[in-house]
């Protein structure tokens, strides 16, 4: 299980509006098509853009009744137990503060690995993971909570990643693994994810902000704004695409900041006209130009 393909995926939720609580639906993802292959895949975009929702959809955590389009795993319909096969590090990690780092990892392994694997083998696996994740020095420290201090933010993130790696998933999904970390710690987490991706795992993470060297690690980028895929490809291709659309990224500017400026409508030409002459928002305009480009591309 390695390649995840999305064809025209839309997702909506039921909402209740006004004092009469009239039920209506709210579309959160709009016709997203993208492919995630082994390597480091990043979903990038402003807050509220739909990143977490898209990751939930990919990992099979959204009701199928509210989904349209197709999510395919290696070209086939996802298996019923997809959630058990994909590692998912959520935005706010669920670690047990009163256990040590090692105990948290062991807890995950005991809960999720088959009982046919002996306790000793699980222990060995966790010992290897602790070394690979650079958690050796804090393995027996309490994780801690809001009220009692424990390990650092970067170590927490690595522990949360380790809990998912304990089942050795071929697909690892992470919702904002670098948010709240300083730039150096964020890079070390991304370096870890890159090294996992070079071992053949399909790593998909959402990112808010990224320094230049983090962007350089990304093999495949999906830019999301307003629940729409504004771009899908490499970072260099994204820069070329936006240049063609009239959005120039100055060499002194970090492309990650530039992408956010474009998606927020803070960069480039102030108003653009559609083919039919109607002025529309940046997001819509960029989606239109990207879809048109895909239609004309030989691939
Ligand atoms: N169950 C829901 N009911 C109503 N609105 C929802 C629901 N889930 C998501 N949304 C809305 O959909 C939009 C996308 O939410 P999502 O959490 O996917 O964004 P995000 O890109 O992950 O944002 P952030 O960067 O802040 O985490 C938001 O406007 C959010 O309010
Ligand atoms: Mg989110």
């Amino acid at each position: 299980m390695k390649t995840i393909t999305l064809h025209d995926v839309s997702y909506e939720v039921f909402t209740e509006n006004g004092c009469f609580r009239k039920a209506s639906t709210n579309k959160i993802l709009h016709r997203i098509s993208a492919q995630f292959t082994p390597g480091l895949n990043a979903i990038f975009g402003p807050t509220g853009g739909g990143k977490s929702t898209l990751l939930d959809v990919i990992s099979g955590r959204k009701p199928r009744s509210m989904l349209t389009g197709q999510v395919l795993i290696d070209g086939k319909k996802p298996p019923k137990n997809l959630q058990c096969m994909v590692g998912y590090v959520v935005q706010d990690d669920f670690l047990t503060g009163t256990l040590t780092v090692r105990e948290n990892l062991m807890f995950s392994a005991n809960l999720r690995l088959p009982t046919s694997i002996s306790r000793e083998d699980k222990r060995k696996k966790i010992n290897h993971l602790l070394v690979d994740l650079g958690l050796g020095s804090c393995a027996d420290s309490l994780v801690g909570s809001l009220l009692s201090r424990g390990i650092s933010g970067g170590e927490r993130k690595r522990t949360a990643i380790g809990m998912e790696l304990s089942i050795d998933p071929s697909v690892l999904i992470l919702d904002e693994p670098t948010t709240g970390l300083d730039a150096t710690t964020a890079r070390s987490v991304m370096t870890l994810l890159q090294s996992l991706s070079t071992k053949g795992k399909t790593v998909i993470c959402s990112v808010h902000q990224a320094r230049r060297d983090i962007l350089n690690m990304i093999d495949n980028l999906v830019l999301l704004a307003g629940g729409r895929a504004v771009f899908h490809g490499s970072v260099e291709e994204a820069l070329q695409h936006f240049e063609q659309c009239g959005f120039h990224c100055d060499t002194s500017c970090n492309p990650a900041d530039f992408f956010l400026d474009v998606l927020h409508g803070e960069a480039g030409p102030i108003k653009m006209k559609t083919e039919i002459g109607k002025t529309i928002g940046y997001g819509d305009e960029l989606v239109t130009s990207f879809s048109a480009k895909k239609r004309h591309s030989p691939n």
Side-chain angles (χ1 to χ4, degrees), residues 11 13-15 26 28-29 45-54 62 91 175-176 208 224:
Y11 175 73
V13 290
F14 282 116
T15 49
N26 179 13
I28 295 178
L29 298 179
T47 180
K51 302 180 295 296
S52 300
T53 309
L54 183 59
K62 290 290 186 207
Q91 199 159 348
D175 199 359
E176 303 204 11
H208 247 312
L224 267 194

Side-chain angles (χ1 to χ4, degrees), residues 13-34:
V13 290
F14 282 116
T15 49
E16 291 179 338
N17 298 326
C19 53
F20 296 112
R21 298 206 162 261
K22 197 169 167 241
S24 61
T25 53
N26 179 13
K27 203 172 229 184
I28 295 178
L29 298 179
H30 302 257
R31 303 193 60 187
I32 294 186
S33 294

Side-chain angles (χ1 to χ4, degrees), residues 70-141:
Q70 271 187 314
V71 180
L72 299 176
I73 314 280
D74 287 339
K76 298 188 195 112
K77 270 177 78 173
K80 287 225 163 61
N81 62 343
L82 178 67
Q83 285 185 35
C84 311
M85 298 162 69
V86 171
Y88 192 1
V89 182
V90 291
Q91 199 159 348
D92 304 304
D93 55 56
F94 289 106
L95 299 178
T96 308
T98 48
L99 297 182
T100 65
V101 170
R102 186 191 305 277
E103 287 165 346
N104 267 282
L105 264 55
M106 202 60 204
F107 174 69
S108 174
N110 282 333
L111 199 68
R112 299 163 76 191
L113 286 176
T115 44
S116 54
I117 301 179
S118 73
R119 202 170 165 77
E120 191 45 39
D121 285 347
K122 286 176 188 160
R123 211 191 312 274
K124 278 188 198 149
K125 191 179 177 71
I126 296 306
N127 284 343
H128 280 132
L129 264 181
L130 286 167
V131 174
D132 289 352
L133 292 164
L135 288 170
S137 60
C138 63
D140 297 307
S141 306

Side-chain angles (χ1 to χ4, degrees), residues 56-234:
D56 284 350
V57 166
I58 295 171
S59 61
R61 279 155 208 255
K62 290 290 186 207
R64 291 195 187 177
S65 57
M66 303 307 276
L67 272 172
T68 56
Q70 271 187 314
V71 180
L72 299 176
I73 314 280
D74 287 339
K76 298 188 195 112
K77 270 177 78 173
K80 287 225 163 61
N81 62 343
L82 178 67
Q83 285 185 35
C84 311
M85 298 162 69
V86 171
Y88 192 1
V89 182
V90 291
Q91 199 159 348
D92 304 304
D93 55 56
F94 289 106
L95 299 178
T96 308
T98 48
L99 297 182
T100 65
V101 170
R102 186 191 305 277
E103 287 165 346
N104 267 282
L105 264 55
M106 202 60 204
F107 174 69
S108 174
N110 282 333
L111 199 68
R112 299 163 76 191
L113 286 176
T115 44
S116 54
I117 301 179
S118 73
R119 202 170 165 77
E120 191 45 39
D121 285 347
K122 286 176 188 160
R123 211 191 312 274
K124 278 188 198 149
K125 191 179 177 71
I126 296 306
N127 284 343
H128 280 132
L129 264 181
L130 286 167
V131 174
D132 289 352
L133 292 164
L135 288 170
S137 60
C138 63
D140 297 307
S141 306
L142 283 182
V143 164
S145 62
L146 278 179
L147 298 177
S148 62
R149 284 288 309 149
I151 56 173
S152 74
E155 288 162 348
R156 273 189 86 88
K157 225 11 127 190
R158 283 167 180 268
T159 306
I161 295 172
M163 287 182 71
E164 297 308 303
L165 289 179
S166 66
I167 57 165
D168 198 19
S170 48
V171 177
L172 180 64
I173 296 177
L174 308 99
D175 199 359
E176 303 204 11
T178 56
T179 299
L181 304 180
D182 68 65
T184 311
T185 314
R187 184 181 53 193
S188 83
V189 169
M190 290 304 285
T191 307
L192 167 71
L193 297 182
Q194 190 193 28
S195 79
L196 291 170
S197 74
T198 55
K199 289 177 191 148
K201 288 195 192 301
T202 303
V203 179
I204 309 172
C205 59
S206 66
V207 189
H208 247 312
Q209 277 171 321
R211 46 192 273 180
R212 177 89 217 203
D213 47 8
I214 288 183
L215 276 189
N216 291 343
M217 296 178 195
I218 295 169
D219 301 309
N220 177 38
L221 181 73
V222 173
L223 296 180
L224 267 194
R228 293 175 163 83
V230 169
F231 179 81
H232 173 215
S234 70

